[in-house]
Amino acid sequence: THNAEVMCAWLAQPEAADWTLETGLLYTRQKERVRDKLVQRLGWPAERVCVGPSTSYMLFEVPKVYQTDDTGIDRFRDDLFYATGTLICASLFNQAAPAPYVRLHLGSHPDVLDEFLRRWEVAGLNYHQAAPFPGKAALSQSLPAQRFRELA
């Protein structure tokens, strides 16, 4: 197809190798940043955070409190969105995840991921949190103000 030809032509350019390397390094840094925060500040066991060697996504297990029924993954995603304004997805594209994991895309600017992590911490997200988030009731509360890094 035409798209395959265009892609093959681009891959033959030196810039493609540079882009691939730079993007891979970005994803590695993003994975380390998110994994460290989940493990060190939000209580995730390291073995429940899966970064993988080469992808723009990472997986992490939903908090234990959301693992008690079949709707736990969807409920966690929805509750987290209502409580923090951040959106993650089920671990598989077809939403039929065989394990209680969610997927976070790492292609956003580092400041955006830092804001996700800050909001999660402020809301009380923790692998061992005692209770689920309040669901749609969280919509009656204002989200914390965004805190992006000041530009020099």
Side-chain angles (χ1 to χ4, degrees), residues 35-44 117 121 125-127:
R35 180 193 59 224
D36 289 350
K37 182 76 165 200
L38 287 171
V39 171
Q40 296 172 11
R41 301 287 299 267
L42 302 178
W44 257 260
L117 295 168
E121 188 170 14
L125 176 62
N126 191 285
Y127 184 76

Side-chain angles (χ1 to χ4, degrees), residues 10 14-29:
W10 179 75
E15 295 83 7
D18 292 343
W19 181 89
T20 301
L21 179 62
E22 290 171 16
T23 302
L25 291 172
L26 169 70
Y27 292 147
T28 298
R29 288 189 301 272

Side-chain angles (χ1 to χ4, degrees), residues 15 54 100 123-124 150:
E15 295 83 7
S54 178
E150 294 291 324

Side-chain angles (χ1 to χ4, degrees), residues 69-97:
D69 65 58
D70 292 341
T71 64
I73 295 170
D74 289 336
R75 183 172 172 212
F76 172 64
R77 289 179 330 152
D78 291 348
D79 286 357
L80 187 64
F81 175 73
Y82 298 141
T84 67
T86 62
L87 188 60
I88 56 177
C89 50
S91 61
L92 300 175
F93 290 106
N94 66 7
Q95 306 297 323

